[in-house]
Amino acid sequence: MSTETNDKISKTISIEGFDPRLLFGQNDCNLRKIEDSFKAHIVARGDNILIEGAEDEVAKVEKLFDDLTLRLKQGDDITDQYLNYSIEMVGEGNGSPAEIMAADHLSDFTLKLKIRPKTIGQKKYLECIEDHDIVFSIGPAGTGKTYLAVAVAVSALKDKHVNRIVLVRPAVEAGESLGFLPGDIRAKVDPYLRPVYDALHDMIPAERIKKLIELGTIEILPLAFMRGRTLNQTFVILDEAQNTTAAQMKMFLTRLGEGSRAIITGDITQIDLGDKRSSGLVLIQNILTGIKGIGFSYLTDKDVVRHQLVQRILRAYERYEKKG
């Protein structure tokens, strides 16, 4: 029901059947954030929400509440991160995130967790992985590049599409100088591969990870140790690929054998090589674009799923670098 007054309109929408506490947030914090984000006045009255403002703003707020109630219907919580993302997407006229991602059901995706894409960019990333044997995922920190890659690899192992997983990373940014570190190769490389371990522990019970590593079903290596190998029926992930040289990137890609797949992840804004132009991840975009079976997935600050301030920090740095 809507009524018009001068340039403004008022519209009442029903939220019957939804728990207002889940929708509005603690002490109505979600309501206040929504009202601060749009030029509209919002009043909650029982099972109804009254929205007043310019027609286009009222339409956006209505679309936002449609998205949030759909999110609740799907069994997901309205987190701060999701609310901010939904406000931004709806505000820019990019549709309802919950509606766009509704078809994705990744239940039992891994041995331990149910994992679903949290942004439209992540959904497109997973679709790219599904459609290509080799995928390059490029984007800023916190967008789920490595996490989702590990999840897909674990799922492929669980479903017996591959026989093992190999996780690779430049062990020391730009140099791979491991000799000065104490211990065997595992002890030397472990600190640099902690993000990969963290992802694995979210998806597989700790005792199972240990057994899989002992059996060689999961292998974790510095990039330098890939030389001379051919990997068959293997899911290979190269993390922090922005710190590979062109020669290292070529070496890595030519290790793939029959039945293998690869995901290469990196952030080209955080290159630690002396000459940033020599990054294998930067150059590969000009070399392999358009080749059948190879896909490129680009994530942005909109896909950041860490603390909401991370997105603001990334945008601040981007503005600063553009000035320079």
Side-chain angles (χ1 to χ4, degrees):
M1 179 183 73
S2 65
T3 57
E4 190 165 345
T5 358
N6 299 327
D7 305 337
K8 297 186 176 181
I9 68 167
S10 65
K11 185 159 191 179
T12 301
I13 59 175
S14 173
I15 56 165
E16 187 176 359
F18 294 97
D19 187 337
R21 293 169 298 180
L22 298 178
L23 188 59
F24 301 154
Q26 188 174 11
N27 298 322
D28 292 344
C29 61
N30 291 354
L31 272 183
R32 289 196 299 273
K33 182 175 286 187
I34 294 168
E35 196 166 42
D36 289 343
S37 302
F38 297 94
K39 295 176 182 176
H41 181 54
I42 305 168
V43 179
R45 294 173 178 166
D47 288 337
N48 294 314
I49 297 173
L50 175 66
I51 311 166
E52 297 178 325
E55 186 174 359
D56 59 338
E57 292 293 296
V58 169
K60 287 177 182 177
V61 174
E62 182 182 14
K63 183 72 173 176
L64 179 67
F65 277 111
D66 286 344
D67 179 72
L68 298 180
T69 51
L70 177 57
R71 171 90 172 171
L72 292 176
K73 273 185 185 176
Q74 293 170 347
D76 295 312
D77 294 331
I78 299 172
T79 61
D80 283 344
Q81 184 273 330
Y82 184 82
L83 180 61
N84 291 332
Y85 182 65
S86 183
I87 287 171
E88 184 167 6
M89 296 300 290
V90 171
E92 292 177 355
N94 293 324
S96 158
E99 185 179 341
I100 293 170
M101 295 188 287
D104 286 276
H105 182 61
L106 305 177
S107 63
D108 242 3
F109 196 54
T110 65
L111 301 180
K112 187 177 172 184
L113 271 187
K114 291 183 179 180
I115 293 175
R116 293 173 60 185
K118 294 184 177 179
T119 68
I120 295 169
Q122 288 188 352
K123 172 186 163 69
K124 291 178 179 177
Y125 175 28
L126 289 173
E127 288 172 347
C128 187
I129 294 171
E130 189 176 333
D131 294 339
H132 301 87
D133 287 335
I134 298 176
V135 170
F136 293 86
S137 177
I138 300 171
T143 51
K145 301 183 302 294
T146 303
Y147 195 88
L148 289 176
V150 173
V152 173
V154 171
S155 178
L157 180 67
K158 173 177 175 276
D159 294 338
K160 301 189 184 331
H161 295 152
V162 296
N163 295 330
R164 58 181 170 153
I165 298 170
V166 175
L167 306 162
V168 186
R169 202 179 192 214
V172 175
E173 319 300 353
E176 296 193 352
S177 303
L178 297 171
F180 72 93
L181 291 170
D184 59 16
I185 184 57
R186 174 83 178 275
K188 291 173 188 288
V189 78
D190 269 4
Y192 301 99
L193 293 164
R194 181 48 51 190
V196 174
Y197 279 114
D198 289 344
L200 279 175
H201 278 279
D202 272 359
M203 300 165 196
I204 306 175
E207 64 278 4
R208 180 70 175 147
I209 293 174
K210 184 179 178 183
K211 186 69 173 176
L212 291 170
I213 290 175
E214 287 173 356
L215 293 171
T217 305
I218 294 179
E219 198 173 353
I220 302 174
L221 294 172
L223 179 59
F225 284 68
M226 289 286 287
R227 292 188 182 279
R229 300 187 64 180
T230 300
L231 302 173
N232 296 316
Q233 298 295 320
T234 303
F235 207 117
V236 195
I237 297 170
L238 172 58
D239 194 30
E240 296 290 338
Q242 75 273 9
N243 289 323
T244 62
T245 64
Q248 288 172 326
M249 180 66 79
K250 181 180 179 182
M251 179 273 291
F252 171 81
L253 292 172
T254 52
R255 299 308 93 202
L256 297 182
E258 187 177 348
S260 289
R261 301 180 65 195
I263 300 177
I264 299 93
T265 70
D267 177 1
I268 56 176
T269 69
Q270 296 191 26
I271 299 170
D272 296 308
L273 298 169
D275 179 5
K276 297 186 188 305
R277 293 170 299 177
S278 68
S279 166
L281 189 60
V282 171
L283 295 172
I284 208 70
Q285 296 172 81
N286 298 321
I287 298 170
L288 297 184
T289 298
I291 293 182
K292 187 177 180 181
I294 297 177
F296 286 83
S297 175
Y298 293 91
L299 296 162
T300 70
D301 53 43
K302 289 182 181 178
D303 300 302
V304 171
V305 292
R306 292 180 181 170
H307 193 288
Q308 59 183 347
L309 285 176
V310 173
Q311 188 179 83
R312 297 176 196 170
I313 290 167
L314 288 169
R315 289 179 178 175
Y317 268 99
E318 187 178 348
R319 288 192 299 269
Y320 175 79
E321 287 162 4
K322 280 181 179 177
K323 287 179 184 176

